[in-house]
Amino acid sequence: MLDDETPVLDNHLHLDPDNHRGIDAVRDFARLGGTHLLVVNKPSWHLGVEAETGEDFRAVFERTIEIVDEASSELDGRAWPVLGVHPGLITRLVDDRGFSPDDARDLMQAGIDVAAEYVESGEALALKSGRPHYEVDDDVWAASNAVMRRAFERGAELDCAVQLHAEASEDMTEVTDWAEEAGLPAHKVVKHYASGRLEGPVPSVMSEKDRLETAAERGEPFLMETDYIDDPDRPGAVLGPKTVPRRVRWLLENDREDAVRIAHVETPERVYGIDTEGTLERA
């Protein structure tokens, strides 16, 4: 176990209690010293929702909020929901369901607007958006960027962070320029599944040792995540729920106390306005 005063936050993972491990994964995380979670809704189609309107996403968001409430009861800290529309939906809409890129954009923006309602009411902490991390046609790329920019607009209105699923890159300053044009500060834009080095958004670093070493050496704001997907068909995909606590212990053993504080106290406060120390109640 980690000491009683160290918050341990996994900034991005998914839980699926209806189809896979769900709360058992949270218990694994907590057993090794994990204290706080940001739970991102799974892609809507993974939960059987083939949206036709923005309102159709509501069932996905409501289920995620329920899961987060259950997760919080297992933690010495707490969990928060991050809600939005997975950028890969645009490919499903255009290639599989016959939507035009513009119609797909409009539907996904409507989903972002519904997610924003939960942030406004205090039921969710942040928004999720982004753009495909794979090659797409120019019109699909333009539509995806328009969806992401809608998320920035809503984030600016609500003063909340936006987590991005996007292509691998070490420089996304163009994207944070768009956010700032919309009124959302760059430090409230988070690049999920990041390496240890990134210009523009705050990197949410995949908790592999080499990436974490890079982030720790830089001394810049960063977060740690697993992107655990809780999918029975892909049990070995990405990282397991025990990883962040294990990597925090490894960082501490290697005299990286400053990096742990940056990732688990200072950056969560700056990006999301959350107090991981004040919400920590170890037994």
Side-chain angles (χ1 to χ4, degrees):
M1 285 289 293
L2 296 161
D3 70 68
D4 289 347
E5 298 179 0
T6 303
V8 175
L9 169 72
D10 189 331
N11 181 66
H12 185 110
L13 87 167
H14 308 275
L15 296 173
D16 191 350
D18 302 313
N19 298 297
H20 201 35
R21 300 196 66 223
I23 298 304
D24 284 342
V26 178
R27 291 178 181 135
D28 281 351
F29 172 75
R31 195 175 298 118
L32 269 75
T35 61
H36 295 77
L37 294 171
L38 264 61
V39 181
V40 184
N41 62 266
K42 294 192 79 169
S44 49
W45 64 96
H46 287 192
L47 300 182
V49 174
E50 298 290 358
E52 299 282 351
T53 70
E55 284 296 313
D56 293 340
F57 292 97
R58 200 174 291 278
V60 175
F61 302 152
E62 295 276 2
R63 186 67 183 112
T64 304
I65 290 168
E66 292 173 1
I67 294 163
V68 167
D69 287 343
E70 294 178 44
S72 286
S73 69
E74 300 289 338
L75 298 171
D76 290 335
R78 59 162 296 181
W80 292 271
V82 176
L83 304 180
V85 179
H86 193 286
L89 178 61
I90 198 164
T91 299
R92 188 171 182 86
L93 293 173
V94 172
D95 291 357
D96 299 342
R97 296 179 56 194
F99 278 62
S100 71
D102 286 351
D103 287 343
R105 174 202 64 207
D106 292 347
L107 173 59
M108 294 171 71
Q109 287 181 333
I112 294 291
D113 290 342
V114 172
E117 293 178 20
Y118 291 94
V119 176
E120 186 171 22
S121 69
E123 295 175 272
L125 180 67
L127 296 172
K128 169 192 175 177
S129 187
R131 61 191 184 191
H133 63 276
Y134 45 86
E135 188 171 343
V136 294
D137 292 342
D138 289 347
D139 50 357
V140 171
W141 186 250
S144 298
N145 281 325
V147 174
M148 181 168 59
R149 294 179 81 149
R150 171 66 66 87
F152 293 154
E153 292 166 4
R154 302 314 308 268
E157 291 168 8
L158 298 166
D159 190 28
C160 77
V162 178
Q163 282 198 17
L164 298 181
H165 175 112
E167 72 278 7
S169 176
E170 292 189 353
D171 187 346
M172 296 187 72
T173 50
E174 179 186 47
V175 169
T176 47
D177 286 347
W178 293 345
E180 291 186 324
E181 287 171 14
L184 183 69
H187 71 264
K188 286 188 172 290
V189 181
V190 177
K191 168 66 169 68
H192 132 74
Y193 210 106
S195 67
R197 181 179 292 105
L198 179 63
E199 300 300 324
V202 173
S204 182
V205 178
M206 282 294 287
S207 296
E208 297 161 344
K209 290 182 178 180
D210 57 343
R211 298 188 190 214
L212 292 174
E213 283 177 343
T214 299
E217 285 290 339
R218 292 182 77 217
E220 299 291 327
F222 76 101
L223 297 152
M224 289 172 60
E225 69 165 80
T226 57
D227 191 26
Y228 176 66
I229 60 174
D230 206 9
D231 185 341
D233 295 327
R234 299 171 63 199
V238 292
L239 301 176
K242 300 176 183 178
T243 308
V244 168
R246 284 173 169 163
R247 294 292 184 261
V248 168
R249 185 181 297 110
W250 170 76
L251 286 166
L252 293 172
E253 289 170 351
N254 286 276
D255 299 320
R256 296 291 194 180
E257 291 87 354
D258 288 349
V260 170
R261 183 163 185 84
I262 287 171
H264 298 276
V265 179
E266 295 174 4
T267 306
E269 170 70 32
R270 177 167 169 75
V271 173
Y272 301 109
I274 58 177
D275 180 358
T276 56
E277 291 180 315
T279 52
L280 178 59
E281 296 181 5
R282 298 265 198 195

